[in-house]
Amino acid sequence: MNCWILFIFTTLAECLTIKRAAHSCPELCSCSFSTLGAEVECSQESLRHFSVDGLTSNTTRLSILSTNLSSITAHHLSAVPLLKSLQLYHTNLTSLPADLLKDVPHLNSLDLTGNRLLHLPPNVFNHYTLRSLVLKNNLIEEADAEWFSDNSSLTWLDLSGNLLSGISTTLLHKLPNLENLDLSDNYLQDLQPDVLTNLHQLESLNLAGNKLISLKSNTFIHNLKLSQLFLQENRLQELHATLLKGLHHLELLLLNQNQLQNLPQGLLDEKKSSFRVILTGNPWVCDDKIEYLWKWLTAHPQNVFFLEGVTCAGPGALKQQPVFSLSDTDGLSWVKN
């Protein structure tokens, strides 16, 4: 009988130890636990060196936010082999080891927003399960094709808020599964003719906040699934009439804050009823060349956000007048009430 009692107490003690270990949490972090695994968040500014002590092996989400972490290694991540999401947000990372992800075979989301990353080693994102990669607000001057393997599984890539002056065709040809590409708030001045040709699955493209002056007529000819296109806050002076040809799924187009004076005949034709566009902040010249835009606005007012903000920059007598409100009394012969 005593043996059985000893056995029961020993078993209970072992179970309690296992349970405590399963629910342990690293210092300076908070943890939540469920049957699906643990989620760990570390957001203390005093965190400078990450410790795996207390990190449970069934952790599926690890977030290190607004700390003074200076480095993270593959050894750290080897303690969490079931990790699916890793967020290293606003830390002080300046580099990453090439083998960082080698021991997290289930990782599908990596967010490195707000660090000081400049140069990254080859193959650092050569990880077949990775679907989402965010490199927003770093110091990256060149996105290197060598970061990725051929036919990467990546569907979401965010390179916004960096120092990119160009984007290579070789890089994007390695990412044929991309559905969302964000290159906003960089220094892009033009796009190579074939840079987007391999992105047949692309649904959202953000080029806002760059220095684009023009786009070639066939820029989006291979991106027929595009539903969102962000071109605002560039320096676009004119658009080709066929720029949006074939984009039958396009639902949102932002052209605000550019240098457009008119739109070419047919640019916005054949768009679906759910299509929406923003056109404010352009110096629209209300002469004979504005006819197409005027006709489209008067026929599709429900498709335009901030319709009354689409105003004439000239001639002088028409300055600040909403384009859709032009009439034959304004001296435009093609306007009929």
Side-chain angles (χ1 to χ4, degrees), residues 207-215 230-239 253-261 263 278-284:
L207 295 168
N210 281 284
K211 299 180 182 297
L212 296 170
I213 296 175
S214 64
L215 294 168
F230 303 93
L231 297 171
Q232 74 272 25
E233 297 174 17
N234 277 282
R235 300 176 181 178
L236 295 171
Q237 297 176 3
E238 62 179 0
L239 302 174
L253 173 64
L254 271 58
L255 287 168
N256 47 299
Q257 270 64 50
N258 277 285
Q259 298 299 316
L260 298 170
Q261 296 184 7
L263 293 184
I278 300 180
L279 297 165
T280 53
N282 285 283
W284 304 110

Side-chain angles (χ1 to χ4, degrees), residues 17-27 29-34 36-42 50-62 76-84 104:
T17 300
I18 293 172
K19 183 175 181 181
R20 284 175 176 169
H23 285 181
S24 63
C25 192
E27 187 179 0
C29 301
S30 61
C31 301
S32 60
F33 305 92
S34 72
L36 299 177
E39 296 188 1
V40 179
E41 180 175 314
C42 310
F50 188 69
S51 173
V52 298
D53 292 342
L55 195 61
T56 63
S57 61
N58 68 337
T59 299
T60 58
R61 181 182 179 88
L62 174 60
H76 293 133
L77 298 185
S78 67
V80 284
L82 301 181
L83 196 66
K84 294 182 178 180
V104 281

Side-chain angles (χ1 to χ4, degrees), residues 38 40 61 115 119 127 147 152 165 193 201 288 302 316:
V40 179
R61 181 182 179 88
N115 286 283
H119 299 294
H127 194 69
W147 295 346
S152 166
S165 59
Q201 306 304 317
D288 289 348
Q302 73 280 2

Side-chain angles (χ1 to χ4, degrees), residues 31-200:
C31 301
S32 60
F33 305 92
S34 72
T35 56
L36 299 177
E39 296 188 1
V40 179
E41 180 175 314
C42 310
S43 56
Q44 299 293 323
E45 188 176 348
S46 56
L47 179 64
R48 297 179 181 276
H49 304 285
F50 188 69
S51 173
V52 298
D53 292 342
L55 195 61
T56 63
S57 61
N58 68 337
T59 299
T60 58
R61 181 182 179 88
L62 174 60
S63 300
I64 302 177
L65 317 172
S66 301
T67 68
N68 282 301
L69 184 73
S70 57
S71 66
I72 190 165
T73 67
H75 171 69
H76 293 133
L77 298 185
S78 67
V80 284
L82 301 181
L83 196 66
K84 294 182 178 180
S85 175
L86 174 60
Q87 187 178 43
L88 302 169
Y89 187 88
H90 281 291
T91 66
N92 281 319
L93 295 175
T94 58
S95 63
L96 299 175
D99 65 347
L100 178 65
L101 307 181
K102 72 182 183 69
D103 294 320
V104 281
H106 305 286
L107 190 77
N108 58 50
S109 178
L110 176 59
D111 189 337
L112 294 159
T113 295
N115 286 283
R116 294 185 290 152
L117 299 171
L118 176 57
H119 299 294
L120 297 174
N123 300 314
V124 63
F125 305 125
N126 185 1
H127 194 69
Y128 71 96
T129 61
L130 194 62
R131 299 292 185 271
S132 175
L133 174 61
V134 179
L135 291 164
K136 181 177 181 178
N137 293 346
N138 278 278
L139 302 173
I140 297 169
E141 297 177 353
E142 181 181 358
D144 194 341
E146 296 302 314
W147 295 346
F148 303 97
S149 62
D150 292 337
N151 294 316
S152 166
S153 299
L154 211 64
T155 62
W156 186 294
L157 176 60
D158 187 344
L159 282 162
S160 63
N162 279 282
L163 304 174
L164 300 173
S165 59
I167 192 78
S168 77
T169 300
T170 305
L171 168 71
L172 295 186
H173 277 201
K174 285 189 167 187
L175 308 174
N177 297 299
L178 273 189
E179 297 174 3
N180 186 300
L181 175 60
D182 193 339
L183 298 170
S184 62
D185 298 319
N186 278 284
Y187 295 88
L188 303 178
Q189 296 184 25
D190 58 30
L191 296 178
Q192 297 181 38
D194 56 351
V195 70
L196 301 175
T197 56
N198 205 37
L199 303 186
H200 301 293

Side-chain angles (χ1 to χ4, degrees), residues 218-229:
N218 62 349
T219 298
F220 309 119
I221 195 172
H222 298 284
N223 315 122
L224 301 184
K225 290 188 177 182
L226 268 180
S227 62
Q228 298 182 333
L229 180 56

